[in-house]
Amino acid sequence: MADPRQDYQTRLAARQALVAALSIRDARAAALRLITFALFACAAVAAGRGFSSWWWLVLPAGLFLALMQWHDTVLRARDAALRAVEYYERGLARMDDRWSGTGPTGDAFLDPSHLYAADLDLFGQGSLFQLLSVARSSAGAHTLADWLLSPASPAVVAERQQAIDELSRRVDLREQLWSAGAETTGVHPDQLVAWAEAAPALPLAWLRPTATALSLVVAATAIVGITTNQYLPFFAGLVLAALILYRFAERTSRVLHTAGSWSRELDVLAHVLATLEAERVESTALTRLRARLDSAGVSARTAIGQLHQIGRAHV
């Protein structure tokens, strides 16, 4: 087995180099977007003064949209690389005994009346929880706290040790799970369940296709207006869209206030589940956990995707 310190140092250097390369791409993408926008503005001025056709706007507009997509991909990759750098830096800090004072303390789990939690410094600054916890979800943090606060049978301890031995050799998997969420708070199942239980009824079946069709009509009539100088259909479409928006403004407002919560939770869950479903595990405990990801013949990742679509339908 490779030396863990050397392995982490090698991986850290590789991720740092990747961050540097992606940062350069980020700067280039931003510059190209600015240039493309300037070209679009010049083409719009030229078309407005009659020097060229309005159709010349299509090329810079399409290029700008493509650059936005590429830039977003670059930013996502860079953020994942930055999280990987953080993962290996924290791992090396634990190996060098520099971990104290960094990471979650688990103070919320401390029960003053517990038999040994305070005496053994299970929670707080420099605690065992702070040393061990690399949880990316509140559920994971709760599980670790429960394990520290409650004794396990010898059979369960043996199963956990077997799982730890298997996971110790899967550095890539551990990195992927750490990189799943942009924040260490990760997933909050209680918030997700509360949102699902309080979600309003699904909208009328005609609303979503109507909204999509109306958006296309507005875009098409805008192009027609630019090319023919006939803007009445365009303004009619805008008025109709405004009426529909006003009719469902309250429901839309509720979703916009909660979307930042549940949408992020589902995104993180989908990433984690996709990673876990691609793994083949051998230890008893991990095999049992892996089997629980499937319910009634439907994978957890598929179910989360369906829930995400249902959530997006609440508009």
Side-chain angles (χ1 to χ4, degrees), residues 9-46:
Q9 289 173 339
T10 301
R11 289 170 177 267
L12 174 60
R15 303 307 182 271
Q16 289 172 332
L18 180 58
V19 169
L22 291 171
S23 296
I24 294 175
R25 293 183 189 177
D26 171 32
R28 290 175 178 172
L32 288 173
R33 287 177 61 178
L34 182 60
I35 293 172
T36 305
F37 181 79
L39 290 175
F40 179 86
C42 291
V45 171

PDB file of all heavy atoms in Angstrom, residues 9-46:
ATOM      1  N   GLN A   9       0.157  14.192  -0.736  1.00  0.00           N
ATOM      2  CA  GLN A   9       0.966  15.298  -1.240  1.00  0.00           C
ATOM      3  C   GLN A   9       0.974  15.316  -2.774  1.00  0.00           C
ATOM      4  O   GLN A   9       0.887  16.382  -3.386  1.00  0.00           O
ATOM      5  CB  GLN A   9       2.396  15.189  -0.694  1.00  0.00           C
ATOM      6  CG  GLN A   9       2.515  15.495   0.793  1.00  0.00           C
ATOM      7  CD  GLN A   9       3.894  15.219   1.343  1.00  0.00           C
ATOM      8  OE1 GLN A   9       4.676  14.444   0.763  1.00  0.00           O
ATOM      9  NE2 GLN A   9       4.220  15.841   2.466  1.00  0.00           N
ATOM     10  N   THR A  10       1.075  14.127  -3.386  1.00  0.00           N
ATOM     11  CA  THR A  10       1.053  14.038  -4.845  1.00  0.00           C
ATOM     12  C   THR A  10      -0.286  14.506  -5.400  1.00  0.00           C
ATOM     13  O   THR A  10      -0.352  15.281  -6.368  1.00  0.00           O
ATOM     14  CB  THR A  10       1.334  12.604  -5.298  1.00  0.00           C
ATOM     15  OG1 THR A  10       2.623  12.192  -4.808  1.00  0.00           O
ATOM     16  CG2 THR A  10       1.307  12.491  -6.812  1.00  0.00           C
ATOM     17  N   ARG A  11      -1.372  14.026  -4.781  1.00  0.00           N
ATOM     18  CA  ARG A  11      -2.711  14.415  -5.229  1.00  0.00           C
ATOM     19  C   ARG A  11      -2.954  15.914  -5.003  1.00  0.00           C
ATOM     20  O   ARG A  11      -3.578  16.580  -5.846  1.00  0.00           O
ATOM     21  CB  ARG A  11      -3.762  13.595  -4.495  1.00  0.00           C
ATOM     22  CG  ARG A  11      -3.795  12.129  -4.921  1.00  0.00           C
ATOM     23  CD  ARG A  11      -4.692  11.312  -3.994  1.00  0.00           C
ATOM     24  NE  ARG A  11      -4.790   9.929  -4.420  1.00  0.00           N
ATOM     25  CZ  ARG A  11      -5.750   9.458  -5.212  1.00  0.00           C
ATOM     26  NH1 ARG A  11      -6.705  10.271  -5.640  1.00  0.00           N
ATOM     27  NH2 ARG A  11      -5.791   8.194  -5.552  1.00  0.00           N
ATOM     28  N   LEU A  12      -2.468  16.437  -3.894  1.00  0.00           N
ATOM     29  CA  LEU A  12      -2.646  17.861  -3.617  1.00  0.00           C
ATOM     30  C   LEU A  12      -1.947  18.708  -4.681  1.00  0.00           C
ATOM     31  O   LEU A  12      -2.519  19.683  -5.187  1.00  0.00           O
ATOM     32  CB  LEU A  12      -2.098  18.196  -2.227  1.00  0.00           C
ATOM     33  CG  LEU A  12      -2.087  19.678  -1.843  1.00  0.00           C
ATOM     34  CD1 LEU A  12      -3.496  20.258  -1.871  1.00  0.00           C
ATOM     35  CD2 LEU A  12      -1.453  19.869  -0.464  1.00  0.00           C
ATOM     36  N   ALA A  13      -0.730  18.338  -5.025  1.00  0.00           N
ATOM     37  CA  ALA A  13       0.007  19.088  -6.046  1.00  0.00           C
ATOM     38  C   ALA A  13      -0.718  19.032  -7.394  1.00  0.00           C
ATOM     39  O   ALA A  13      -0.794  20.041  -8.115  1.00  0.00           O
ATOM     40  CB  ALA A  13       1.424  18.537  -6.179  1.00  0.00           C
ATOM     41  N   ALA A  14      -1.253  17.856  -7.729  1.00  0.00           N
ATOM     42  CA  ALA A  14      -1.981  17.716  -8.997  1.00  0.00           C
ATOM     43  C   ALA A  14      -3.240  18.571  -9.003  1.00  0.00           C
ATOM     44  O   ALA A  14      -3.558  19.234 -10.014  1.00  0.00           O
ATOM     45  CB  ALA A  14      -2.336  16.254  -9.230  1.00  0.00           C
ATOM     46  N   ARG A  15      -3.983  18.604  -7.892  1.00  0.00           N
ATOM     47  CA  ARG A  15      -5.202  19.407  -7.835  1.00  0.00           C
ATOM     48  C   ARG A  15      -4.878  20.901  -7.843  1.00  0.00           C
ATOM     49  O   ARG A  15      -5.622  21.696  -8.437  1.00  0.00           O
ATOM     50  CB  ARG A  15      -6.027  19.060  -6.594  1.00  0.00           C
ATOM     51  CG  ARG A  15      -6.432  17.598  -6.456  1.00  0.00           C
ATOM     52  CD  ARG A  15      -7.127  17.048  -7.684  1.00  0.00           C
ATOM     53  NE  ARG A  15      -7.541  15.677  -7.488  1.00  0.00           N
ATOM     54  CZ  ARG A  15      -6.779  14.613  -7.769  1.00  0.00           C
ATOM     55  NH1 ARG A  15      -5.549  14.774  -8.268  1.00  0.00           N
ATOM     56  NH2 ARG A  15      -7.220  13.381  -7.558  1.00  0.00           N
ATOM     57  N   GLN A  16      -3.791  21.298  -7.198  1.00  0.00           N
ATOM     58  CA  GLN A  16      -3.388  22.700  -7.224  1.00  0.00           C
ATOM     59  C   GLN A  16      -3.010  23.132  -8.639  1.00  0.00           C
ATOM     60  O   GLN A  16      -3.339  24.250  -9.065  1.00  0.00           O
ATOM     61  CB  GLN A  16      -2.223  22.929  -6.262  1.00  0.00           C
ATOM     62  CG  GLN A  16      -2.621  22.849  -4.792  1.00  0.00           C
ATOM     63  CD  GLN A  16      -1.437  22.891  -3.851  1.00  0.00           C
ATOM     64  OE1 GLN A  16      -0.320  22.468  -4.216  1.00  0.00           O
ATOM     65  NE2 GLN A  16      -1.636  23.389  -2.639  1.00  0.00           N
ATOM     66  N   ALA A  17      -2.311  22.253  -9.370  1.00  0.00           N
ATOM     67  CA  ALA A  17      -1.965  22.555 -10.755  1.00  0.00           C
ATOM     68  C   ALA A  17      -3.224  22.670 -11.608  1.00  0.00           C
ATOM     69  O   ALA A  17      -3.323  23.525 -12.505  1.00  0.00           O
ATOM     70  CB  ALA A  17      -1.037  21.479 -11.309  1.00  0.00           C
ATOM     71  N   LEU A  18      -4.220  21.813 -11.328  1.00  0.00           N
ATOM     72  CA  LEU A  18      -5.477  21.867 -12.069  1.00  0.00           C
ATOM     73  C   LEU A  18      -6.212  23.170 -11.792  1.00  0.00           C
ATOM     74  O   LEU A  18      -6.775  23.780 -12.709  1.00  0.00           O
ATOM     75  CB  LEU A  18      -6.347  20.667 -11.685  1.00  0.00           C
ATOM     76  CG  LEU A  18      -7.710  20.562 -12.378  1.00  0.00           C
ATOM     77  CD1 LEU A  18      -7.545  20.500 -13.890  1.00  0.00           C
ATOM     78  CD2 LEU A  18      -8.482  19.339 -11.865  1.00  0.00           C
ATOM     79  N   VAL A  19      -6.210  23.608 -10.537  1.00  0.00           N
ATOM     80  CA  VAL A  19      -6.848  24.882 -10.189  1.00  0.00           C
ATOM     81  C   VAL A  19      -6.189  26.028 -10.953  1.00  0.00           C
ATOM     82  O   VAL A  19      -6.872  26.913 -11.488  1.00  0.00           O
ATOM     83  CB  VAL A  19      -6.766  25.132  -8.664  1.00  0.00           C
ATOM     84  CG1 VAL A  19      -7.173  26.562  -8.339  1.00  0.00           C
ATOM     85  CG2 VAL A  19      -7.657  24.159  -7.919  1.00  0.00           C
ATOM     86  N   ALA A  20      -4.857  26.015 -11.018  1.00  0.00           N
ATOM     87  CA  ALA A  20      -4.146  27.076 -11.736  1.00  0.00           C
ATOM     88  C   ALA A  20      -4.519  27.081 -13.218  1.00  0.00           C
ATOM     89  O   ALA A  20      -4.760  28.138 -13.809  1.00  0.00           O
ATOM     90  CB  ALA A  20      -2.641  26.894 -11.558  1.00  0.00           C
ATOM     91  N   ALA A  21      -4.568  25.881 -13.829  1.00  0.00           N
ATOM     92  CA  ALA A  21      -4.908  25.787 -15.253  1.00  0.00           C
ATOM     93  C   ALA A  21      -6.337  26.251 -15.504  1.00  0.00           C
ATOM     94  O   ALA A  21      -6.614  26.974 -16.477  1.00  0.00           O
ATOM     95  CB  ALA A  21      -4.710  24.351 -15.735  1.00  0.00           C
ATOM     96  N   LEU A  22      -7.259  25.847 -14.644  1.00  0.00           N
ATOM     97  CA  LEU A  22      -8.658  26.234 -14.822  1.00  0.00           C
ATOM     98  C   LEU A  22      -8.876  27.720 -14.548  1.00  0.00           C
ATOM     99  O   LEU A  22      -9.772  28.338 -15.133  1.00  0.00           O
ATOM    100  CB  LEU A  22      -9.548  25.391 -13.910  1.00  0.00           C
ATOM    101  CG  LEU A  22      -9.651  23.914 -14.300  1.00  0.00           C
ATOM    102  CD1 LEU A  22     -10.373  23.115 -13.224  1.00  0.00           C
ATOM    103  CD2 LEU A  22     -10.383  23.760 -15.642  1.00  0.00           C
ATOM    104  N   SER A  23      -8.064  28.303 -13.679  1.00  0.00           N
ATOM    105  CA  SER A  23      -8.161  29.746 -13.427  1.00  0.00           C
ATOM    106  C   SER A  23      -7.761  30.524 -14.671  1.00  0.00           C
ATOM    107  O   SER A  23      -8.347  31.572 -14.980  1.00  0.00           O
ATOM    108  CB  SER A  23      -7.269  30.136 -12.243  1.00  0.00           C
ATOM    109  OG  SER A  23      -7.726  29.528 -11.049  1.00  0.00           O
ATOM    110  N   ILE A  24      -6.768  30.023 -15.405  1.00  0.00           N
ATOM    111  CA  ILE A  24      -6.370  30.656 -16.660  1.00  0.00           C
ATOM    112  C   ILE A  24      -7.512  30.557 -17.676  1.00  0.00           C
ATOM    113  O   ILE A  24      -7.836  31.529 -18.374  1.00  0.00           O
ATOM    114  CB  ILE A  24      -5.087  30.000 -17.210  1.00  0.00           C
ATOM    115  CG1 ILE A  24      -3.907  30.288 -16.280  1.00  0.00           C
ATOM    116  CG2 ILE A  24      -4.785  30.504 -18.610  1.00  0.00           C
ATOM    117  CD1 ILE A  24      -2.630  29.578 -16.668  1.00  0.00           C
ATOM    118  N   ARG A  25      -8.137  29.385 -17.749  1.00  0.00           N
ATOM    119  CA  ARG A  25      -9.270  29.225 -18.660  1.00  0.00           C
ATOM    120  C   ARG A  25     -10.422  30.141 -18.271  1.00  0.00           C
ATOM    121  O   ARG A  25     -11.119  30.684 -19.135  1.00  0.00           O
ATOM    122  CB  ARG A  25      -9.744  27.776 -18.663  1.00  0.00           C
ATOM    123  CG  ARG A  25      -8.752  26.789 -19.251  1.00  0.00           C
ATOM    124  CD  ARG A  25      -9.347  25.403 -19.275  1.00  0.00           C
ATOM    125  NE  ARG A  25      -8.355  24.396 -19.626  1.00  0.00           N
ATOM    126  CZ  ARG A  25      -8.594  23.094 -19.671  1.00  0.00           C
ATOM    127  NH1 ARG A  25      -9.817  22.642 -19.394  1.00  0.00           N
ATOM    128  NH2 ARG A  25      -7.639  22.251 -19.981  1.00  0.00           N
ATOM    129  N   ASP A  26     -10.616  30.311 -16.974  1.00  0.00           N
ATOM    130  CA  ASP A  26     -11.663  31.203 -16.487  1.00  0.00           C
ATOM    131  C   ASP A  26     -11.423  32.620 -16.981  1.00  0.00           C
ATOM    132  O   ASP A  26     -12.346  33.290 -17.484  1.00  0.00           O
ATOM    133  CB  ASP A  26     -11.683  31.149 -14.963  1.00  0.00           C
ATOM    134  CG  ASP A  26     -12.589  32.198 -14.339  1.00  0.00           C
ATOM    135  OD1 ASP A  26     -13.608  32.551 -14.965  1.00  0.00           O
ATOM    136  OD2 ASP A  26     -12.275  32.668 -13.228  1.00  0.00           O
ATOM    137  N   ALA A  27     -10.188  33.102 -16.868  1.00  0.00           N
ATOM    138  CA  ALA A  27      -9.859  34.456 -17.323  1.00  0.00           C
ATOM    139  C   ALA A  27     -10.042  34.585 -18.831  1.00  0.00           C
ATOM    140  O   ALA A  27     -10.557  35.607 -19.327  1.00  0.00           O
ATOM    141  CB  ALA A  27      -8.425  34.791 -16.929  1.00  0.00           C
ATOM    142  N   ARG A  28      -9.631  33.556 -19.564  1.00  0.00           N
ATOM    143  CA  ARG A  28      -9.793  33.597 -21.025  1.00  0.00           C
ATOM    144  C   ARG A  28     -11.272  33.605 -21.417  1.00  0.00           C
ATOM    145  O   ARG A  28     -11.674  34.348 -22.325  1.00  0.00           O
ATOM    146  CB  ARG A  28      -9.090  32.402 -21.656  1.00  0.00           C
ATOM    147  CG  ARG A  28      -7.563  32.474 -21.594  1.00  0.00           C
ATOM    148  CD  ARG A  28      -6.943  31.205 -22.129  1.00  0.00           C
ATOM    149  NE  ARG A  28      -5.483  31.285 -22.107  1.00  0.00           N
ATOM    150  CZ  ARG A  28      -4.678  30.256 -22.379  1.00  0.00           C
ATOM    151  NH1 ARG A  28      -5.196  29.075 -22.698  1.00  0.00           N
ATOM    152  NH2 ARG A  28      -3.374  30.419 -22.332  1.00  0.00           N
ATOM    153  N   ALA A  29     -12.061  32.776 -20.749  1.00  0.00           N
ATOM    154  CA  ALA A  29     -13.492  32.730 -21.052  1.00  0.00           C
ATOM    155  C   ALA A  29     -14.156  34.077 -20.774  1.00  0.00           C
ATOM    156  O   ALA A  29     -14.993  34.547 -21.550  1.00  0.00           O
ATOM    157  CB  ALA A  29     -14.164  31.623 -20.245  1.00  0.00           C
ATOM    158  N   ALA A  30     -13.781  34.711 -19.655  1.00  0.00           N
ATOM    159  CA  ALA A  30     -14.351  36.015 -19.323  1.00  0.00           C
ATOM    160  C   ALA A  30     -13.973  37.056 -20.375  1.00  0.00           C
ATOM    161  O   ALA A  30     -14.809  37.876 -20.786  1.00  0.00           O
ATOM    162  CB  ALA A  30     -13.865  36.453 -17.941  1.00  0.00           C
ATOM    163  N   ALA A  31     -12.710  37.020 -20.837  1.00  0.00           N
ATOM    164  CA  ALA A  31     -12.267  37.970 -21.859  1.00  0.00           C
ATOM    165  C   ALA A  31     -13.000  37.743 -23.184  1.00  0.00           C
ATOM    166  O   ALA A  31     -13.434  38.698 -23.848  1.00  0.00           O
ATOM    167  CB  ALA A  31     -10.755  37.851 -22.061  1.00  0.00           C
ATOM    168  N   LEU A  32     -13.157  36.476 -23.562  1.00  0.00           N
ATOM    169  CA  LEU A  32     -13.853  36.163 -24.811  1.00  0.00           C
ATOM    170  C   LEU A  32     -15.323  36.573 -24.738  1.00  0.00           C
ATOM    171  O   LEU A  32     -15.888  37.053 -25.738  1.00  0.00           O
ATOM    172  CB  LEU A  32     -13.732  34.666 -25.115  1.00  0.00           C
ATOM    173  CG  LEU A  32     -12.344  34.188 -25.554  1.00  0.00           C
ATOM    174  CD1 LEU A  32     -12.317  32.664 -25.652  1.00  0.00           C
ATOM    175  CD2 LEU A  32     -11.980  34.806 -26.900  1.00  0.00           C
ATOM    176  N   ARG A  33     -15.942  36.407 -23.592  1.00  0.00           N
ATOM    177  CA  ARG A  33     -17.333  36.834 -23.438  1.00  0.00           C
ATOM    178  C   ARG A  33     -17.452  38.344 -23.600  1.00  0.00           C
ATOM    179  O   ARG A  33     -18.395  38.841 -24.220  1.00  0.00           O
ATOM    180  CB  ARG A  33     -17.868  36.395 -22.074  1.00  0.00           C
ATOM    181  CG  ARG A  33     -18.146  34.913 -21.962  1.00  0.00           C
ATOM    182  CD  ARG A  33     -18.591  34.522 -20.571  1.00  0.00           C
ATOM    183  NE  ARG A  33     -19.816  35.197 -20.190  1.00  0.00           N
ATOM    184  CZ  ARG A  33     -20.445  34.993 -19.030  1.00  0.00           C
ATOM    185  NH1 ARG A  33     -19.941  34.116 -18.157  1.00  0.00           N
ATOM    186  NH2 ARG A  33     -21.558  35.627 -18.737  1.00  0.00           N
ATOM    187  N   LEU A  34     -16.494  39.081 -23.028  1.00  0.00           N
ATOM    188  CA  LEU A  34     -16.512  40.536 -23.148  1.00  0.00           C
ATOM    189  C   LEU A  34     -16.335  40.964 -24.613  1.00  0.00           C
ATOM    190  O   LEU A  34     -17.044  41.856 -25.101  1.00  0.00           O
ATOM    191  CB  LEU A  34     -15.403  41.138 -22.287  1.00  0.00           C
ATOM    192  CG  LEU A  34     -15.312  42.668 -22.275  1.00  0.00           C
ATOM    193  CD1 LEU A  34     -16.612  43.275 -21.740  1.00  0.00           C
ATOM    194  CD2 LEU A  34     -14.123  43.119 -21.426  1.00  0.00           C
ATOM    195  N   ILE A  35     -15.394  40.298 -25.313  1.00  0.00           N
ATOM    196  CA  ILE A  35     -15.169  40.620 -26.723  1.00  0.00           C
ATOM    197  C   ILE A  35     -16.414  40.311 -27.550  1.00  0.00           C
ATOM    198  O   ILE A  35     -16.824  41.099 -28.417  1.00  0.00           O
ATOM    199  CB  ILE A  35     -13.949  39.837 -27.251  1.00  0.00           C
ATOM    200  CG1 ILE A  35     -12.667  40.336 -26.567  1.00  0.00           C
ATOM    201  CG2 ILE A  35     -13.836  39.977 -28.766  1.00  0.00           C
ATOM    202  CD1 ILE A  35     -11.451  39.495 -26.890  1.00  0.00           C
ATOM    203  N   THR A  36     -17.020  39.165 -27.284  1.00  0.00           N
ATOM    204  CA  THR A  36     -18.214  38.768 -28.031  1.00  0.00           C
ATOM    205  C   THR A  36     -19.362  39.741 -27.794  1.00  0.00           C
ATOM    206  O   THR A  36     -20.103  40.097 -28.715  1.00  0.00           O
ATOM    207  CB  THR A  36     -18.646  37.353 -27.635  1.00  0.00           C
ATOM    208  OG1 THR A  36     -17.540  36.456 -27.818  1.00  0.00           O
ATOM    209  CG2 THR A  36     -19.809  36.875 -28.481  1.00  0.00           C
ATOM    210  N   PHE A  37     -19.500  40.184 -26.553  1.00  0.00           N
ATOM    211  CA  PHE A  37     -20.552  41.161 -26.247  1.00  0.00           C
ATOM    212  C   PHE A  37     -20.291  42.473 -26.984  1.00  0.00           C
ATOM    213  O   PHE A  37     -21.226  43.113 -27.492  1.00  0.00           O
ATOM    214  CB  PHE A  37     -20.615  41.417 -24.743  1.00  0.00           C
ATOM    215  CG  PHE A  37     -21.682  42.394 -24.347  1.00  0.00           C
ATOM    216  CD1 PHE A  37     -23.006  41.996 -24.253  1.00  0.00           C
ATOM    217  CD2 PHE A  37     -21.361  43.717 -24.077  1.00  0.00           C
ATOM    218  CE1 PHE A  37     -23.997  42.904 -23.899  1.00  0.00           C
ATOM    219  CE2 PHE A  37     -22.347  44.627 -23.720  1.00  0.00           C
ATOM    220  CZ  PHE A  37     -23.670  44.223 -23.629  1.00  0.00           C
ATOM    221  N   ALA A  38     -19.010  42.867 -27.059  1.00  0.00           N
ATOM    222  CA  ALA A  38     -18.673  44.093 -27.789  1.00  0.00           C
ATOM    223  C   ALA A  38     -19.005  43.942 -29.270  1.00  0.00           C
ATOM    224  O   ALA A  38     -19.522  44.885 -29.901  1.00  0.00           O
ATOM    225  CB  ALA A  38     -17.191  44.409 -27.599  1.00  0.00           C
ATOM    226  N   LEU A  39     -18.726  42.764 -29.837  1.00  0.00           N
ATOM    227  CA  LEU A  39     -19.070  42.516 -31.242  1.00  0.00           C
ATOM    228  C   LEU A  39     -20.576  42.583 -31.450  1.00  0.00           C
ATOM    229  O   LEU A  39     -21.065  43.116 -32.455  1.00  0.00           O
ATOM    230  CB  LEU A  39     -18.537  41.150 -31.674  1.00  0.00           C
ATOM    231  CG  LEU A  39     -17.015  41.022 -31.793  1.00  0.00           C
ATOM    232  CD1 LEU A  39     -16.632  39.576 -32.104  1.00  0.00           C
ATOM    233  CD2 LEU A  39     -16.499  41.955 -32.883  1.00  0.00           C
ATOM    234  N   PHE A  40     -21.340  42.032 -30.489  1.00  0.00           N
ATOM    235  CA  PHE A  40     -22.800  42.084 -30.571  1.00  0.00           C
ATOM    236  C   PHE A  40     -23.275  43.532 -30.553  1.00  0.00           C
ATOM    237  O   PHE A  40     -24.160  43.924 -31.334  1.00  0.00           O
ATOM    238  CB  PHE A  40     -23.411  41.302 -29.408  1.00  0.00           C
ATOM    239  CG  PHE A  40     -24.913  41.316 -29.388  1.00  0.00           C
ATOM    240  CD1 PHE A  40     -25.638  40.392 -30.116  1.00  0.00           C
ATOM    241  CD2 PHE A  40     -25.597  42.266 -28.639  1.00  0.00           C
ATOM    242  CE1 PHE A  40     -27.029  40.414 -30.098  1.00  0.00           C
ATOM    243  CE2 PHE A  40     -26.970  42.293 -28.617  1.00  0.00           C
ATOM    244  CZ  PHE A  40     -27.692  41.357 -29.351  1.00  0.00           C
ATOM    245  N   ALA A  41     -22.692  44.342 -29.669  1.00  0.00           N
ATOM    246  CA  ALA A  41     -23.086  45.744 -29.575  1.00  0.00           C
ATOM    247  C   ALA A  41     -22.764  46.485 -30.876  1.00  0.00           C
ATOM    248  O   ALA A  41     -23.578  47.285 -31.366  1.00  0.00           O
ATOM    249  CB  ALA A  41     -22.388  46.403 -28.393  1.00  0.00           C
ATOM    250  N   CYS A  42     -21.588  46.214 -31.433  1.00  0.00           N
ATOM    251  CA  CYS A  42     -21.212  46.869 -32.696  1.00  0.00           C
ATOM    252  C   CYS A  42     -22.155  46.465 -33.826  1.00  0.00           C
ATOM    253  O   CYS A  42     -22.579  47.298 -34.637  1.00  0.00           O
ATOM    254  CB  CYS A  42     -19.772  46.506 -33.063  1.00  0.00           C
ATOM    255  SG  CYS A  42     -18.532  47.235 -31.959  1.00  0.00           S
ATOM    256  N   ALA A  43     -22.506  45.160 -33.870  1.00  0.00           N
ATOM    257  CA  ALA A  43     -23.422  44.692 -34.907  1.00  0.00           C
ATOM    258  C   ALA A  43     -24.800  45.309 -34.736  1.00  0.00           C
ATOM    259  O   ALA A  43     -25.478  45.650 -35.728  1.00  0.00           O
ATOM    260  CB  ALA A  43     -23.524  43.167 -34.852  1.00  0.00           C
ATOM    261  N   ALA A  44     -25.232  45.495 -33.472  1.00  0.00           N
ATOM    262  CA  ALA A  44     -26.536  46.107 -33.221  1.00  0.00           C
ATOM    263  C   ALA A  44     -26.544  47.566 -33.673  1.00  0.00           C
ATOM    264  O   ALA A  44     -27.517  48.047 -34.279  1.00  0.00           O
ATOM    265  CB  ALA A  44     -26.885  46.003 -31.738  1.00  0.00           C
ATOM    266  N   VAL A  45     -25.446  48.284 -33.406  1.00  0.00           N
ATOM    267  CA  VAL A  45     -25.365  49.690 -33.824  1.00  0.00           C
ATOM    268  C   VAL A  45     -25.361  49.782 -35.350  1.00  0.00           C
ATOM    269  O   VAL A  45     -26.054  50.621 -35.945  1.00  0.00           O
ATOM    270  CB  VAL A  45     -24.109  50.348 -33.233  1.00  0.00           C
ATOM    271  CG1 VAL A  45     -23.899  51.744 -33.838  1.00  0.00           C
ATOM    272  CG2 VAL A  45     -24.221  50.451 -31.714  1.00  0.00           C
ATOM    273  N   ALA A  46     -24.579  48.893 -35.981  1.00  0.00           N
ATOM    274  CA  ALA A  46     -24.505  48.907 -37.439  1.00  0.00           C
ATOM    275  C   ALA A  46     -25.860  48.598 -38.061  1.00  0.00           C
ATOM    276  O   ALA A  46     -26.281  49.242 -39.040  1.00  0.00           O
ATOM    277  CB  ALA A  46     -23.462  47.892 -37.914  1.00  0.00           C
TER     278      ALA A  46
END
